[in-house]
Amino acid sequence: MAGLVKVGFSLARNAIISTSVRSIATTKSLNLKDIRECKEGSTLIVEGVTVPSPRTELLIRAENIPGYEPVVPSSKPPCYMCALGLDVKHTDVLILSQFVRTDGCMLPRRITGLCRRQQKKIGKMVTMAQKAGLMINLTPDNCKKDPRKRREHKKFNTYYDERTIFMKYIPKPLDRFKR
Amino acid sequence: MSAAKRVQQWATFARTWHIFDCKWQDPYESANIIKKYLMGQHKPIYHPLNDCGDVVVCINSREIALRGDEWRKRAYFHHTGYPGGASWTLAWELHNKDPTMIIKKAVYRAMKGNLQRRHTMQRLFIYHEENVPEDIMKNVSSQIRQSRLVPTRLDHIPEEEVKQYPKVMDYPKDYVLK
């Protein structure tokens, strides 16, 4: 009875206060899009053009490599970077530049599709590469492009150790002389 | 003694001039390498009393790379000898003042502190850029291998190569290109 009353109440409310949220989209929402703006006279035309991804042909996936076997057929499959098992360093700018926007900012996890650990690792390595001045063409517009023009200690070459990314998970070396 | 043996004898005790490119090298790592050549420890005839050390010419010492935040964490201590004469200079400040000093101090510290050390240091030439005086450069006949790979900047790689490089990440279907 109570359920029937609730349904009736919600129907009445919907009839009175109609919401403007439509679940039907007028355009095809799920597609890789390129937003183009062109000006014809005084009218500005903004259109979202569906384009094929430029990366699909060059894409490398572990399951496509011949001889690849999943190590443990567990319930949760590893993400694509874990499955590839690459030893990526912060100097591998050709790989790291795939995970950033044109302003050099790391893409969020819902776009990269990485696991939590890999997202953290790649994100930190992107930061390292930016600080070392290795991806200076992928920087915001107001950035001083040349690392030599940076201030104080930032203008000198710096390299990083990738083991420091997950430093807190590394067990401390056992003190052999401790009593 | 045959002529060949005599030449071998000369060659054994002759000083070789090595060149070392410090570009993107850690000075404290490379000091341990340079030290061996300066003291002659890479030779089978090495002995502490045997004057068999070589000459090392370091170039591009302005381009050295320190690890992590060491440019602003590492301090160099100096004391004038007077009360209140202590001073601490950060690594980036020292490198601003003299771009050859960090590598020089690193090699000096890598060697054991004995009377020979000052004389061994005389055989180390450091230049902050690639231009080396001609009278030094004409003696150089060997090169010391770098310990770290020199990283390539993304803007120095041709654009076509960046585009054709194999990709690991693909955009999701609903991504808007920017």
PDB file of all heavy atoms in Angstrom, chain B residues 147-162:
ATOM      1  N   SER B 147      78.622   7.345 -17.581  1.00  0.00           N
ATOM      2  CA  SER B 147      77.905   6.341 -16.787  1.00  0.00           C
ATOM      3  C   SER B 147      76.399   6.442 -16.981  1.00  0.00           C
ATOM      4  O   SER B 147      75.689   5.465 -16.802  1.00  0.00           O
ATOM      5  CB  SER B 147      78.249   6.496 -15.312  1.00  0.00           C
ATOM      6  OG  SER B 147      77.836   7.757 -14.837  1.00  0.00           O
ATOM      7  N   ARG B 148      75.886   7.612 -17.323  1.00  0.00           N
ATOM      8  CA  ARG B 148      74.436   7.781 -17.499  1.00  0.00           C
ATOM      9  C   ARG B 148      74.142   8.156 -18.943  1.00  0.00           C
ATOM     10  O   ARG B 148      74.922   8.860 -19.580  1.00  0.00           O
ATOM     11  CB  ARG B 148      73.909   8.893 -16.588  1.00  0.00           C
ATOM     12  CG  ARG B 148      74.230   8.710 -15.148  1.00  0.00           C
ATOM     13  CD  ARG B 148      73.508   9.743 -14.353  1.00  0.00           C
ATOM     14  NE  ARG B 148      72.083   9.546 -14.481  1.00  0.00           N
ATOM     15  CZ  ARG B 148      71.386   8.670 -13.764  1.00  0.00           C
ATOM     16  NH1 ARG B 148      71.978   7.949 -12.865  1.00  0.00           N
ATOM     17  NH2 ARG B 148      70.101   8.532 -13.947  1.00  0.00           N
ATOM     18  N   LEU B 149      72.990   7.701 -19.419  1.00  0.00           N
ATOM     19  CA  LEU B 149      72.559   8.064 -20.767  1.00  0.00           C
ATOM     20  C   LEU B 149      72.120   9.518 -20.788  1.00  0.00           C
ATOM     21  O   LEU B 149      71.452   9.978 -19.858  1.00  0.00           O
ATOM     22  CB  LEU B 149      71.387   7.191 -21.203  1.00  0.00           C
ATOM     23  CG  LEU B 149      71.712   5.820 -21.783  1.00  0.00           C
ATOM     24  CD1 LEU B 149      70.419   5.080 -22.047  1.00  0.00           C
ATOM     25  CD2 LEU B 149      72.494   5.961 -23.064  1.00  0.00           C
ATOM     26  N   VAL B 150      72.488  10.228 -21.826  1.00  0.00           N
ATOM     27  CA  VAL B 150      72.047  11.617 -21.962  1.00  0.00           C
ATOM     28  C   VAL B 150      70.612  11.606 -22.491  1.00  0.00           C
ATOM     29  O   VAL B 150      70.345  11.042 -23.549  1.00  0.00           O
ATOM     30  CB  VAL B 150      72.975  12.382 -22.928  1.00  0.00           C
ATOM     31  CG1 VAL B 150      72.477  13.799 -23.114  1.00  0.00           C
ATOM     32  CG2 VAL B 150      74.389  12.400 -22.402  1.00  0.00           C
ATOM     33  N   PRO B 151      69.651  12.165 -21.744  1.00  0.00           N
ATOM     34  CA  PRO B 151      68.262  12.108 -22.205  1.00  0.00           C
ATOM     35  C   PRO B 151      68.022  12.997 -23.420  1.00  0.00           C
ATOM     36  O   PRO B 151      68.678  14.027 -23.593  1.00  0.00           O
ATOM     37  CB  PRO B 151      67.466  12.588 -20.999  1.00  0.00           C
ATOM     38  CG  PRO B 151      68.406  13.405 -20.221  1.00  0.00           C
ATOM     39  CD  PRO B 151      69.763  12.835 -20.448  1.00  0.00           C
ATOM     40  N   THR B 152      67.082  12.572 -24.249  1.00  0.00           N
ATOM     41  CA  THR B 152      66.715  13.357 -25.432  1.00  0.00           C
ATOM     42  C   THR B 152      65.455  14.150 -25.126  1.00  0.00           C
ATOM     43  O   THR B 152      64.494  13.613 -24.586  1.00  0.00           O
ATOM     44  CB  THR B 152      66.437  12.428 -26.618  1.00  0.00           C
ATOM     45  OG1 THR B 152      67.404  11.395 -26.594  1.00  0.00           O
ATOM     46  CG2 THR B 152      66.524  13.168 -27.923  1.00  0.00           C
ATOM     47  N   ARG B 153      65.481  15.418 -25.502  1.00  0.00           N
ATOM     48  CA  ARG B 153      64.306  16.249 -25.289  1.00  0.00           C
ATOM     49  C   ARG B 153      63.276  15.958 -26.364  1.00  0.00           C
ATOM     50  O   ARG B 153      63.623  15.640 -27.509  1.00  0.00           O
ATOM     51  CB  ARG B 153      64.702  17.720 -25.335  1.00  0.00           C
ATOM     52  CG  ARG B 153      64.791  18.327 -23.963  1.00  0.00           C
ATOM     53  CD  ARG B 153      65.612  19.560 -23.981  1.00  0.00           C
ATOM     54  NE  ARG B 153      65.088  20.588 -24.871  1.00  0.00           N
ATOM     55  CZ  ARG B 153      65.575  21.810 -24.923  1.00  0.00           C
ATOM     56  NH1 ARG B 153      66.567  22.148 -24.144  1.00  0.00           N
ATOM     57  NH2 ARG B 153      65.077  22.695 -25.749  1.00  0.00           N
ATOM     58  N   LEU B 154      62.004  16.073 -25.990  1.00  0.00           N
ATOM     59  CA  LEU B 154      60.926  15.712 -26.927  1.00  0.00           C
ATOM     60  C   LEU B 154      60.910  16.640 -28.134  1.00  0.00           C
ATOM     61  O   LEU B 154      60.595  16.213 -29.251  1.00  0.00           O
ATOM     62  CB  LEU B 154      59.581  15.785 -26.199  1.00  0.00           C
ATOM     63  CG  LEU B 154      58.375  15.282 -26.957  1.00  0.00           C
ATOM     64  CD1 LEU B 154      58.526  13.829 -27.301  1.00  0.00           C
ATOM     65  CD2 LEU B 154      57.113  15.493 -26.159  1.00  0.00           C
ATOM     66  N   ASP B 155      61.288  17.914 -27.922  1.00  0.00           N
ATOM     67  CA  ASP B 155      61.259  18.848 -29.054  1.00  0.00           C
ATOM     68  C   ASP B 155      62.466  18.678 -29.969  1.00  0.00           C
ATOM     69  O   ASP B 155      62.507  19.275 -31.044  1.00  0.00           O
ATOM     70  CB  ASP B 155      61.166  20.291 -28.557  1.00  0.00           C
ATOM     71  CG  ASP B 155      62.273  20.619 -27.581  1.00  0.00           C
ATOM     72  OD1 ASP B 155      62.709  19.698 -26.876  1.00  0.00           O
ATOM     73  OD2 ASP B 155      62.686  21.785 -27.504  1.00  0.00           O
ATOM     74  N   HIS B 156      63.437  17.865 -29.538  1.00  0.00           N
ATOM     75  CA  HIS B 156      64.572  17.589 -30.429  1.00  0.00           C
ATOM     76  C   HIS B 156      64.348  16.354 -31.291  1.00  0.00           C
ATOM     77  O   HIS B 156      65.099  16.112 -32.231  1.00  0.00           O
ATOM     78  CB  HIS B 156      65.857  17.402 -29.610  1.00  0.00           C
ATOM     79  CG  HIS B 156      66.341  18.698 -29.007  1.00  0.00           C
ATOM     80  ND1 HIS B 156      67.342  18.746 -28.089  1.00  0.00           N
ATOM     81  CD2 HIS B 156      65.931  19.977 -29.198  1.00  0.00           C
ATOM     82  CE1 HIS B 156      67.556  20.002 -27.748  1.00  0.00           C
ATOM     83  NE2 HIS B 156      66.707  20.772 -28.396  1.00  0.00           N
ATOM     84  N   ILE B 157      63.312  15.578 -30.969  1.00  0.00           N
ATOM     85  CA  ILE B 157      62.962  14.416 -31.780  1.00  0.00           C
ATOM     86  C   ILE B 157      62.101  14.912 -32.938  1.00  0.00           C
ATOM     87  O   ILE B 157      61.202  15.729 -32.722  1.00  0.00           O
ATOM     88  CB  ILE B 157      62.192  13.383 -30.936  1.00  0.00           C
ATOM     89  CG1 ILE B 157      63.017  12.990 -29.715  1.00  0.00           C
ATOM     90  CG2 ILE B 157      61.852  12.150 -31.748  1.00  0.00           C
ATOM     91  CD1 ILE B 157      62.262  12.169 -28.701  1.00  0.00           C
ATOM     92  N   PRO B 158      62.370  14.453 -34.173  1.00  0.00           N
ATOM     93  CA  PRO B 158      61.544  14.921 -35.292  1.00  0.00           C
ATOM     94  C   PRO B 158      60.068  14.566 -35.105  1.00  0.00           C
ATOM     95  O   PRO B 158      59.739  13.518 -34.548  1.00  0.00           O
ATOM     96  CB  PRO B 158      62.131  14.187 -36.502  1.00  0.00           C
ATOM     97  CG  PRO B 158      63.385  13.570 -36.055  1.00  0.00           C
ATOM     98  CD  PRO B 158      63.503  13.657 -34.600  1.00  0.00           C
ATOM     99  N   GLU B 159      59.205  15.465 -35.562  1.00  0.00           N
ATOM    100  CA  GLU B 159      57.764  15.320 -35.312  1.00  0.00           C
ATOM    101  C   GLU B 159      57.195  14.054 -35.942  1.00  0.00           C
ATOM    102  O   GLU B 159      56.301  13.411 -35.383  1.00  0.00           O
ATOM    103  CB  GLU B 159      57.035  16.550 -35.852  1.00  0.00           C
ATOM    104  CG  GLU B 159      55.721  16.774 -35.189  1.00  0.00           C
ATOM    105  CD  GLU B 159      55.231  18.197 -35.403  1.00  0.00           C
ATOM    106  OE1 GLU B 159      56.016  19.147 -35.271  1.00  0.00           O
ATOM    107  OE2 GLU B 159      54.054  18.326 -35.729  1.00  0.00           O
ATOM    108  N   GLU B 160      57.754  13.693 -37.098  1.00  0.00           N
ATOM    109  CA  GLU B 160      57.269  12.488 -37.787  1.00  0.00           C
ATOM    110  C   GLU B 160      57.546  11.241 -36.950  1.00  0.00           C
ATOM    111  O   GLU B 160      56.708  10.338 -36.846  1.00  0.00           O
ATOM    112  CB  GLU B 160      57.981  12.395 -39.151  1.00  0.00           C
ATOM    113  CG  GLU B 160      57.358  11.444 -40.136  1.00  0.00           C
ATOM    114  CD  GLU B 160      55.895  11.764 -40.416  1.00  0.00           C
ATOM    115  OE1 GLU B 160      55.517  12.964 -40.476  1.00  0.00           O
ATOM    116  OE2 GLU B 160      55.141  10.798 -40.564  1.00  0.00           O
ATOM    117  N   GLU B 161      58.724  11.242 -36.307  1.00  0.00           N
ATOM    118  CA  GLU B 161      59.081  10.100 -35.477  1.00  0.00           C
ATOM    119  C   GLU B 161      58.193   9.994 -34.247  1.00  0.00           C
ATOM    120  O   GLU B 161      57.824   8.901 -33.821  1.00  0.00           O
ATOM    121  CB  GLU B 161      60.549  10.244 -35.053  1.00  0.00           C
ATOM    122  CG  GLU B 161      61.174   8.965 -34.575  1.00  0.00           C
ATOM    123  CD  GLU B 161      62.629   9.174 -34.201  1.00  0.00           C
ATOM    124  OE1 GLU B 161      63.355   9.880 -34.933  1.00  0.00           O
ATOM    125  OE2 GLU B 161      63.026   8.643 -33.162  1.00  0.00           O
ATOM    126  N   VAL B 162      57.822  11.141 -33.673  1.00  0.00           N
ATOM    127  CA  VAL B 162      56.925  11.148 -32.518  1.00  0.00           C
ATOM    128  C   VAL B 162      55.562  10.600 -32.913  1.00  0.00           C
ATOM    129  O   VAL B 162      54.938   9.830 -32.179  1.00  0.00           O
ATOM    130  CB  VAL B 162      56.796  12.587 -31.960  1.00  0.00           C
ATOM    131  CG1 VAL B 162      55.802  12.631 -30.821  1.00  0.00           C
ATOM    132  CG2 VAL B 162      58.136  13.101 -31.494  1.00  0.00           C
TER     133      VAL B 162
END
